[in-house]
């Protein structure tokens, strides 16, 4: 299988602190890869580097969108990276709270639309059609995620679990080939986590989107991922399938603890 | 809340006592230095005591009522919707209201004096530029304290073009708008990376720079003495009396205001409008969702500035004389107050805000000494009880076939 994302020898220094140290990672087409590790290991920094919020100090990040050539995305602005097909969610929910649920998803469609100022003012046929299309598309995405009953609610009024799902819906609206989920199950109860598990599998299987996720909920990680990468102090200390990771002594020492193994 | 429980009365009593003590030196004692005697005005103390006693009761009562309302809206959907909000949302109310307002606006200059019409023109200019600032502050969430600079740019483009080349109002209108648009982009570039307070300071500086340049560059802008004898708006070359021209300007402003409302309303629910709001809500998430922050900010600045430019041209044509004193920081603050008090992001709110803030000081001239005090108190009370503005922003809802 071809690799959709390749991170090569990535380094990220903040002043004297090296948050990520010669890190390597790859995600194959249709794969679910989990990044785990103790707090402060550099997982979110890694996501920020990949999605362009931070510019890596050195190393390379390559993406291969379907039917397109492999290209480096180092130094690209976040919006360009999203446009090339990488979408993300945030660890601390970052929805547009005073916009409706539907509008949140519509923002995700933004980079796939074209109408400009003139179009907005004069509303020619193309703009009207485009608007109708985006409303319908966004609604379809909400239906898929199971949020259609909240469609006209303000995002801030949604229950916590629904807000997390809305973040995923918004990311899906950008038409990604790789979805980066930063702790999607944080703060969810058992039932919600189970639903999330199903949802992520559904996204992978039906939408053909590869997934890279950070998660602390080990039951979710173990049941979901094809491959797990363990990070500690910015370094890759182990990788393998869930069974291998559970047995790995380094991982047990650094993160999982004796009881889990 | 029980209004007259012992504890409530006790609280108010102590507040009254405290106020009496605080105001004692200024309200009670009056030293007459000529006759070397002190006049004790004990009756003032009584008034202050009674006043603060009852005001404190009313104040606490309304605060409590407001908090009860907030709690209600958190728990259920049966939140109390304000009277204004209701009027805006039910067609049974707003259709007749619009018709009545429309007719009133049309016959206004024939019922009221020329003085009133002039005030109304000023108010409409403020409505227009406040709607422009609403794009920048209300929708895109970029706190711009130097907005009046663009107003000045518009006014001076017309004044200078008219003075040097005799260019008429209608030609100058698009030129003024385009110049302000360009200045909007020019200001936009250096502030792209700034947020919140930093942005406010830089825009404040920009506003002052424009004013100081106009004040000191005598060869270009004629300095503090300003430019006079600017032509009034023309009507296909027909000569109008002063009276006729004011009425003409009035209708012109009605037209321009309607045009502004039309455009801003369309922008608000468009792809660009949504991007502005997303930018206001969360800049990082907005960019991570594929929106070009640079472009979005620049369009907001430039489009906001355009309306200020148009407003400036009309202002110059209406007053026929401009000088830098018309474009001080105070104007920026007033326009910002209109947007915030009216309701950020809400078009109707901003229009009402402009009417309140421009007409209130105008009609309070009777209480000239206190009018700024009343004005300030109105702002404070407004922000305590309705922080979202007179009319808060309403988002478009969509219906779907199930």
């Amino acid at each position: 299988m071809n690799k959709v994302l390749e991170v090569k020898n990535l380094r990220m220094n903040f002043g004297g602190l090296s948050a990520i140290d010669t890190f390597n990672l790859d995600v194959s087409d249709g794969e679910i890869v989990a990044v785990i590790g103790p707090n402060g290991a550099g997982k979110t920094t890694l996501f920020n580097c990949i999605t362009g919020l931070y510019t890596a100090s050195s190393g390379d990040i390559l993406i291969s969108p379907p039917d397109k050539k492999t290209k480096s995305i180092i130094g690209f602005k976040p919006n360009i990276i999203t446009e090339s097909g990488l979408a993300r969610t945030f660890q601390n929910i970052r929805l547009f709270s005073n916009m409706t649920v539907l509008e949140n998803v519509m923002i995700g469609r933004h980079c796939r639309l074209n109408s400009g100022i003139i179009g907005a003012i004069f509303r020619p046929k193309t703009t009207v059609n485009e608007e109708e299309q985006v409303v319908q598309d966004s609604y379809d995405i909400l239906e898929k995620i199971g949020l259609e009953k909240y469609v006209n609610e303000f995002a801030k009024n949604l229950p916590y679990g629904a807000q997390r799902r809305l973040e995923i819906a918004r990311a899906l609206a950008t038409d990604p080939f790789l979805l980066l989920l930063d702790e999607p199950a944080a703060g969810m109860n058992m039932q919600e986590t189970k639903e999330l598990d199903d949802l992520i599998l559904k996204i992978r299987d039906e939408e053909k989107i590869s997934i890279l996720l950070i998660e602390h909920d080990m039951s979710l990680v173990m049941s979901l991922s094809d491959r797990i990468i363990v990070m500690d102090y910015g370094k890759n200390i182990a990788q393998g399938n869930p069974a291998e990771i559970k047995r790995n002594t380094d991982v047990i020492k650094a993160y999982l603890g004796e009881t889990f193994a | 809340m029980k209004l007259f429980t012992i504890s409530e009365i006790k609280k108010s009593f102590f507040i009254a006592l405290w106020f009496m003590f605080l105001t004692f030196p200024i309200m009670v004692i009056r030293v007459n230095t000529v006759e070397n005697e002190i006049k004790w005005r004990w009756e003032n103390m009584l008034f202050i005591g009674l006043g603060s006693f009852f005001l404190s009761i009313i104040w606490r009562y309304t605060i409590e009522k407001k908090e009860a309302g907030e709690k209600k809206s958190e728990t259920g959907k049966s939140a109390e919707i304000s009277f204004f909000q209701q009027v805006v949302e039910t067609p049974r109310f707003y259709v007749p209201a619009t018709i009545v307002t429309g007719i009133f606006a049309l016959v206004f200059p024939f019922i009221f004096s020329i003085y009133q019409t002039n005030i109304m023109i000023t108010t409409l200019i403020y409505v227009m530029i406040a709607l422009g600032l609403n794009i920048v502050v209300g929708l895109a969430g970029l706190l711009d304290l130097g907005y009046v600079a663009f107003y000045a740019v518009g006014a001076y483009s017309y004044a200078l073009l008219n003075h040097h080349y005799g260019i008429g109002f209608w030609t100058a209108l698009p030129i003024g708008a385009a110049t302000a648009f360009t200045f909007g982009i020019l200001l936009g570039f250096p502030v792209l990376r700034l947020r919140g307070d930093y942005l406010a300071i830089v825009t404040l500086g920009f506003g002052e720079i424009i004013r100081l340049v106009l004040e000191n560059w005598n060869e270009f802008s004629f300095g503090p003495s300003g430019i006079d004898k600017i032509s009034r708006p023309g009507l296909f070359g027909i000569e109008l009396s002063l009276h006729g021209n004011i009425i003409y300007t009035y209708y012109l402003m009605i037209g321009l205001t309607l045009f502004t409302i039309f455009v801003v309303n369309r922008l608000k629910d468009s792809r660009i409008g949504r991007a502005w709001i997303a930018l206001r809500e969360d800049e990082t998430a907005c960019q991570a969702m594929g929106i070009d922050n640079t472009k979005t900010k620049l369009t907001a600045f430039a489009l906001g500035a355009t309306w200020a430019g148009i407003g400036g041209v009309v202002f110059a044509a209406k007053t026929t004389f401009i000088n830098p004193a018309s474009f001080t920081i105070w104007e920026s603050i007033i326009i910002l107050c209109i947007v915030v008090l009216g309701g950020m992001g809400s078009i109707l709110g901003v229009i009402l805000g402009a009417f309140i803030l421009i007409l209130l000081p105008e009609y309070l001239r009777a209480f000239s000494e206190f009018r700024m005090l009343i004005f300030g108190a109105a702002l404070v009370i407004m922000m305590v009880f309705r922080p979202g503005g007179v009319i808060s922003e309403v988002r478009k809802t969509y219906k779907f076939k199930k």
Side-chain angles (χ1 to χ4, degrees):
Chain A
M1 263 195 285
N2 60 324
K3 289 168 178 168
V4 290
L5 174 76
E6 249 183 301
V7 176
K8 286 180 178 169
N9 299 324
L10 192 76
R11 275 167 170 281
M12 181 75 220
N13 300 326
F14 295 106
L17 178 86
S18 108
I20 299 177
D21 193 4
T22 39
F23 191 83
N24 288 291
L25 169 102
D26 57 76
V27 181
S28 300
D29 197 8
E31 203 178 16
I32 298 182
V33 177
V35 179
I36 62 171
N39 290 327
K43 304 183 296 292
T44 299
T45 308
L46 173 71
F47 264 37
N48 287 345
C49 286
I50 296 175
T51 53
L53 289 181
Y54 298 157
T55 309
S57 311
S58 70
D60 206 356
I61 302 170
L62 301 167
I63 56 164
S64 323
D67 314 320
K68 277 192 196 137
K69 273 199 201 141
T70 306
K71 64 173 175 184
S72 166
I73 52 168
I74 286 283
F76 281 26
K77 283 166 91 187
N79 52 305
I80 305 293
I81 293 177
T82 307
E83 235 179 279
S84 0
L86 256 59
R88 72 170 294 176
T89 65
F90 291 91
Q91 182 176 2
N92 42 345
I93 300 179
R94 301 190 85 142
L95 289 169
F96 307 119
S97 11
N98 288 311
M99 297 175 89
T100 64
V101 168
L102 188 75
E103 281 176 322
N104 267 276
V105 182
M106 282 159 86
I107 286 291
R109 298 288 316 156
H110 185 96
C111 59
R112 307 289 170 220
L113 311 174
N114 300 310
S115 67
I117 302 173
I118 304 295
I121 297 171
F122 297 107
R123 279 197 197 157
K125 197 128 203 224
T126 45
T127 309
V128 176
N129 291 343
E130 193 183 84
E131 279 292 299
E132 274 172 13
Q133 192 60 44
V134 65
V135 170
Q136 194 54 49
D137 289 350
S138 307
Y139 186 74
D140 291 344
I141 292 172
L142 283 176
E143 237 174 359
K144 233 175 268 165
I145 305 290
L147 289 171
E148 71 275 12
K149 65 176 169 184
Y150 296 119
V151 80
N152 283 322
E153 294 269 354
F154 275 133
K156 62 178 175 191
N157 293 341
L158 256 54
Y160 185 83
Q163 291 195 3
R164 283 242 171 252
R165 296 165 79 92
L166 179 54
E167 272 223 330
I168 297 178
R170 189 178 66 174
L172 279 181
T174 64
D175 263 349
F177 64 88
L178 176 68
L179 192 58
L180 295 97
L181 305 173
D182 197 346
E183 297 199 23
M188 284 187 167
N189 61 30
M190 295 275 279
Q191 175 62 29
E192 284 169 333
T193 310
K194 178 77 190 59
E195 282 167 18
L196 183 74
D197 194 326
D198 296 340
L199 179 68
I200 293 175
L201 284 175
K202 193 172 141 191
I203 291 171
R204 196 261 306 258
D205 298 335
E206 288 178 13
E207 312 291 322
K208 309 278 178 248
I209 296 173
S210 320
I211 285 159
L212 179 65
L213 82 158
I214 295 174
E215 190 47 70
H216 281 299
D217 186 322
M218 276 310 122
S219 58
L220 183 78
V221 170
M222 295 298 172
S223 75
L224 205 58
S225 14
D226 301 318
R227 204 146 52 81
I228 297 174
I229 289 161
V230 190
M231 218 178 168
D232 196 18
Y233 293 108
K235 287 199 172 88
N236 183 344
I237 60 167
Q239 65 168 318
N241 63 35
E244 288 164 4
I245 293 297
K246 271 189 216 173
R247 287 193 304 270
N248 189 310
T249 46
D250 285 344
V251 180
I252 292 168
K253 217 163 83 191
Y255 182 54
L256 293 179
E258 303 292 338
T259 45
F260 193 84
Chain B
M1 169 181 136
K2 301 260 181 348
L3 256 185
F4 294 107
T5 56
I6 299 291
S7 72
E8 286 300 317
I9 289 175
K10 219 159 111 188
K11 245 189 223 163
S12 292
F13 178 73
F14 282 117
I15 288 172
L17 220 57
W18 182 232
F19 264 81
M20 275 151 50
F21 174 72
L22 278 182
T23 54
F24 179 78
I26 45 168
M27 296 303 286
V28 180
I29 306 172
R30 171 177 267 174
V31 181
N32 190 332
T33 46
V34 180
E35 286 160 26
N36 256 346
E37 58 175 27
I38 294 173
K39 201 176 163 198
W40 301 91
R41 298 171 296 171
W42 295 109
E43 72 281 2
N44 280 357
M45 187 184 235
L46 183 73
F47 293 143
I48 283 171
L50 284 176
S52 48
F53 180 78
F54 286 111
L55 277 180
S56 76
I57 286 192
I58 294 169
W59 178 258
R60 268 179 290 133
Y61 173 69
T62 38
I63 287 274
E64 191 144 314
K65 209 173 147 195
K66 177 189 164 237
E67 273 164 8
E70 270 167 14
K71 230 170 258 164
K72 218 193 227 166
S73 68
E74 266 167 33
T75 47
K77 282 195 71 185
S78 60
E80 269 181 78
I81 304 163
S82 80
F83 170 71
F84 278 127
Q85 216 92 42
Q86 251 171 352
V87 171
V88 180
E89 278 164 28
T90 26
R92 199 155 55 87
F93 289 118
Y94 76 68
V95 170
T98 318
I99 293 170
V100 170
T101 322
I103 293 171
F104 183 71
L106 282 181
V107 297
F108 186 88
F110 300 106
I111 323 176
F112 293 98
S113 68
I114 213 70
Y115 170 72
Q116 303 285 354
T117 313
N118 246 326
I119 291 176
M120 203 43 89
I121 296 172
T122 312
T123 313
L124 288 173
I125 293 178
Y126 275 99
V127 168
M128 194 165 81
I129 56 179
L131 282 171
L133 184 65
N134 187 35
I135 294 177
V136 187
V137 177
L139 296 179
L142 305 162
L143 185 51
D144 183 352
L145 290 181
Y147 189 63
V148 76
F150 305 122
Y151 189 41
V153 165
Y156 268 88
S157 352
Y158 175 45
L160 289 171
L161 285 173
N162 188 261
H163 183 85
H164 292 302
Y165 308 107
I167 285 175
F169 173 81
W170 287 107
T171 326
L173 198 63
I175 297 176
T179 320
F181 184 90
T182 319
F183 269 80
I185 292 181
L186 283 183
L187 170 66
F189 267 114
V191 302
L192 278 173
R193 293 166 175 280
L194 305 175
R195 299 180 191 195
D197 345 13
Y198 307 103
L199 178 73
I201 300 284
V202 173
T203 51
L204 183 77
F206 177 77
E208 284 301 282
I209 288 172
I210 296 274
R211 189 181 62 82
L212 287 172
V213 165
L214 291 175
E215 211 153 74
N216 293 299
W217 192 0
N218 285 334
E219 298 77 35
F220 172 70
S221 64
F222 303 99
S225 52
I227 302 169
D228 61 354
K229 300 203 187 75
I230 305 166
S231 315
R232 291 178 182 276
L235 177 67
F236 308 113
I238 299 167
E239 281 290 317
L240 288 167
S241 63
L242 178 63
H243 186 251
N245 207 302
I246 286 172
I247 292 180
Y248 171 56
T249 315
Y250 172 80
Y251 284 118
L252 180 84
M253 254 338 281
I254 293 269
L256 280 175
T257 310
L258 287 177
F259 175 64
T260 313
I261 296 171
F262 171 79
V263 172
V264 176
N265 190 35
R266 285 213 154 170
L267 282 173
K268 197 176 120 172
D269 285 317
S270 71
R271 170 171 176 262
I272 291 176
R274 285 194 300 270
W276 284 336
I277 298 167
L279 188 75
R280 174 190 77 191
E281 294 294 312
D282 191 326
E283 207 172 316
T284 310
C286 170
Q287 198 172 18
M289 286 306 120
I291 291 173
D292 188 345
N293 280 9
T294 312
K295 217 168 127 191
T296 311
K297 273 188 192 177
L298 285 181
T299 49
F301 266 118
L303 280 176
T306 307
W307 297 114
I310 298 176
V313 173
V314 180
F315 174 74
K318 176 203 162 236
T319 53
T320 70
F321 164 76
I322 54 165
N323 70 350
S326 311
F327 308 106
T328 55
I329 173 83
W330 173 244
E331 293 297 313
S332 286
I333 303 283
I334 285 279
I335 304 165
L336 187 67
C337 283
I338 291 175
V339 175
V340 175
L341 184 114
M344 289 214 266
S346 148
I347 292 176
L348 195 61
V350 171
I351 297 171
L352 276 177
F355 274 85
I356 295 170
L357 283 193
I358 303 303
L359 293 183
L360 196 68
E362 213 51 67
Y363 292 117
L364 283 176
R365 277 189 197 281
F367 316 92
S368 54
E369 282 163 41
F370 298 105
R371 81 183 165 125
M372 277 323 183
L373 197 67
I374 298 175
F375 184 74
L379 278 182
V380 171
I381 290 173
M382 195 59 213
M383 284 299 103
V384 170
F385 289 102
R386 288 194 65 83
V390 182
I391 294 175
S392 6
E393 187 188 9
V394 182
R395 293 307 305 161
K396 193 175 175 183
T397 53
Y398 298 85
K399 284 199 179 69
F400 295 94
K401 287 169 247 138
K402 288 282 140 82

